[in-house]
Amino acid sequence: MSLKRYHTLYPYSIFRAQIVFKNVAPPDDKWAEGVLCRDSEGTFSIIDRKAGEGVYAMEPVFIDTLGLASGFLDGNKRDIFEGDIIRICRFSGGILPDNKPSEIVSENREDESPERTVFADIPEGAEQLSCLEGVAFMNGGVFFVQFFDETSKTLNAMPLYMFFGFDMLPAEGTAVKVIGNMYDDEELFAKTLRLSEGGQDKN
């Protein structure tokens, strides 16, 4: 019996893909996140970082569902991957002390920058300035969010970095939340980009 050898692809990048043998599992259990590998037979797998510290899990995955981690985190400190459906809302004022949003504390003890609060949803009492829902994708090494533009009635895209701070978390006055992904919820994906209405990129 020979030991199967795996070749690591892009060792410094984190990917997510749907696990082959868990297509009927709960949504959160269907996905592996980690380093992408390929064996001598051409099967793609991910060394799943969600398995837990000290636990090794090599999960075979559907390559068609592969998505690269953008490096950006939503207001729940959840990684945003290619194919994620995200809601981005800008707001002003009204942040009440009773709210308990996620507080981000720098791990660098020498960094004396103040703690800041990030949001997944608009806090109670704030005024919504704008809101869009779209799908994350990468093009030319830059991550974008593609959305349906109600004004032009076409698909449009904006760079994700416009909505985030230098710490890769939602910028001040911005709430960002992953609400699904295009593979787990095809109905939400079609609704978000208005595909059932014939929405298409005319640029």
Side-chain angles (χ1 to χ4, degrees):
M1 179 178 174
S2 61
L3 182 66
K4 184 176 286 189
R5 295 182 178 274
Y6 291 88
H7 175 64
T8 301
L9 306 174
Y10 313 106
Y12 301 107
S13 298
I14 298 297
F15 291 88
R16 181 189 65 190
Q18 201 170 67
I19 300 171
V20 170
F21 300 113
K22 291 191 176 181
N23 57 336
V24 295
D28 288 344
D29 296 333
K30 291 182 182 181
W31 296 86
E33 298 175 5
V35 177
L36 180 67
C37 302
R38 183 178 59 207
D39 66 18
S40 57
E41 298 172 355
T43 300
F44 289 92
S45 300
I46 283 180
I47 303 174
D48 193 3
R49 66 178 182 175
K50 296 194 301 180
E53 187 176 351
V55 178
Y56 178 86
M58 178 74 79
E59 303 283 8
V61 296
F62 292 110
I63 197 64
D64 290 346
T65 66
L66 188 70
L68 177 65
S70 67
F72 296 105
L73 305 177
D74 75 357
N76 292 318
K77 296 185 282 185
R78 177 177 174 178
D79 283 297
I80 297 175
F81 288 86
E82 289 179 286
D84 274 340
I85 302 168
I86 54 181
R87 179 182 297 125
I88 302 173
C89 299
R90 284 186 162 143
F91 61 89
S92 65
I95 301 175
L96 304 178
D98 291 338
N99 291 340
K100 297 182 179 179
S102 301
E103 291 187 351
I104 306 305
V105 182
S106 173
E107 296 180 359
N108 184 353
R109 301 295 183 183
E110 298 177 359
D111 184 359
E112 297 182 358
S113 59
E115 299 175 8
R116 78 181 186 92
T117 302
V118 295
F119 296 90
D121 299 293
I122 295 177
E124 184 178 348
E127 178 187 359
Q128 177 177 305
L129 303 177
S130 64
C131 200
L132 66 85
E133 291 182 3
V135 180
F137 74 98
M138 186 183 71
N139 185 31
V142 177
F143 280 88
F144 294 83
V145 56
Q146 185 177 38
F147 62 97
F148 186 78
D149 189 325
E150 296 289 353
T151 302
S152 63
K153 302 299 180 185
T154 60
L155 292 180
N156 204 342
M158 296 179 69
L160 265 183
Y161 66 75
M162 295 177 62
F163 306 102
F164 292 83
F166 289 113
D167 54 5
M168 310 300 278
L169 289 157
E172 298 291 340
T174 305
V176 182
K177 185 177 184 178
V178 174
I179 59 174
N181 72 64
M182 60 186 290
Y183 302 104
D184 268 343
D185 197 334
E186 295 182 5
E187 184 177 343
L188 178 61
F189 171 65
K191 179 181 177 183
T192 299
L193 297 186
R194 309 293 197 275
L195 301 183
S196 60
E197 302 173 13
Q200 57 185 352
D201 193 353
K202 298 180 181 178
N203 293 336

